[in-house]
Amino acid sequence: MGSQTDSPRTVAHSSAVLSFRSLPPTARYPQSNGKVENSVKTVKNILKKAVAARYDPHLSQLDFRNTTSEGMDSTPAQLLSSHRTRTSLPMASHLLPPNVIPNLHRNLQQK
């Protein structure tokens, strides 16, 4: 079951206000949404490893958000907020100030 924000009335109101069309996921073929399935699998693996290593799961997620992926020049945190977030991982101080990524939207569409 979804949360209260998943109710049809809330989704209908939000889609009308924000001018978007909501398409429900295909229940019989969850693998059709491969990127989401892969993201969920990655998060589950990170959490399992954090618990097994007795490491803070929140710090594990933060470390993941500050790590670049294959084929990407920026981290997920940089894509979202234009700067890296502070973690317990060693990082040069010149990498911490905000850095707006030029043409980000166009670059992501090309990939």
Side-chain angles (χ1 to χ4, degrees), residues 49-56:
K49 288 179 182 181
V51 169
R54 297 178 188 224
Y55 189 69
D56 184 5

Side-chain angles (χ1 to χ4, degrees), residues 46-47 49-51 55-65:
I46 289 171
L47 293 175
K49 288 179 182 181
V51 169
Y55 189 69
D56 184 5
H58 295 99
L59 287 178
S60 298
Q61 291 294 315
L62 186 62
D63 293 342
F64 174 71
R65 289 186 202 114

Side-chain angles (χ1 to χ4, degrees), residues 19-58:
S19 300
F20 70 87
R21 189 171 142 209
S22 175
L23 299 174
T26 307
R28 294 184 185 160
Y29 301 102
Q31 68 274 16
S32 64
N33 199 346
K35 287 184 180 181
V36 172
E37 293 294 321
N38 191 28
S39 295
V40 169
K41 182 176 70 172
T42 301
V43 169
K44 283 183 177 181
N45 285 334
I46 289 171
L47 293 175
K48 285 179 188 176
K49 288 179 182 181
V51 169
R54 297 178 188 224
Y55 189 69
D56 184 5
H58 295 99

Side-chain angles (χ1 to χ4, degrees), residues 89-107:
L89 293 175
M91 187 180 307
S93 60
H94 72 274
L95 295 174
L96 290 174
N99 180 21
V100 177
I101 302 163
N103 303 318
L104 174 65
H105 184 66
R106 186 171 3 125
N107 292 343

